[in-house]
Amino acid sequence: MEKTIYNLVRNTICWDVGEYFVKALIEEMPNEEIIKLAREEIKRIQYFVRIEEDGWDYWKNKEQKLIELIIKLQK
């Protein structure tokens, strides 16, 4: 889950910043904000999830990881 959160936050930053900056930013973020980022990412990948061929599961796995992250953070 940590890697998923890291990638979500890192992808929202326009500048090239270091790993420690991103991790510090994550520590300051409330769960609600991370959940919002995950939901936005799910919306962006929905098309790829629908058209992904049988036997391929990159986008479906990514969607599942984001859903699991949301469920975990809502508790």
Side-chain angles (χ1 to χ4, degrees):
M1 294 292 164
E2 288 180 25
K3 184 177 179 183
T4 303
I5 293 172
Y6 177 87
N7 288 333
L8 276 173
V9 174
R10 177 66 188 97
N11 291 339
T12 62
I13 300 172
C14 298
W15 302 284
D16 187 22
V17 295
E19 177 182 346
Y20 295 110
F21 178 83
V22 176
K23 288 182 178 183
L25 186 60
I26 291 169
E27 289 179 17
E28 298 296 321
M29 292 177 81
N31 286 348
E32 294 81 25
E33 196 169 340
I34 296 170
I35 290 170
K36 180 181 172 191
L37 292 175
R39 287 185 175 145
E40 290 171 358
E41 183 72 9
I42 288 173
K43 287 179 187 177
R44 283 192 288 270
I45 67 170
Q46 281 301 304
Y47 174 75
F48 299 112
V49 171
R50 287 192 302 268
I51 66 167
E52 193 166 47
E53 295 183 20
D54 293 336
W56 293 58
D57 56 3
Y58 175 80
W59 296 108
K60 292 171 187 156
N61 285 343
K62 184 171 184 167
E63 179 186 43
Q64 188 61 39
K65 284 181 187 178
L66 293 169
I67 291 169
E68 290 171 6
L69 175 67
I70 292 170
I71 291 169
K72 182 180 176 185
L73 293 177
Q74 286 179 335
K75 292 183 181 182

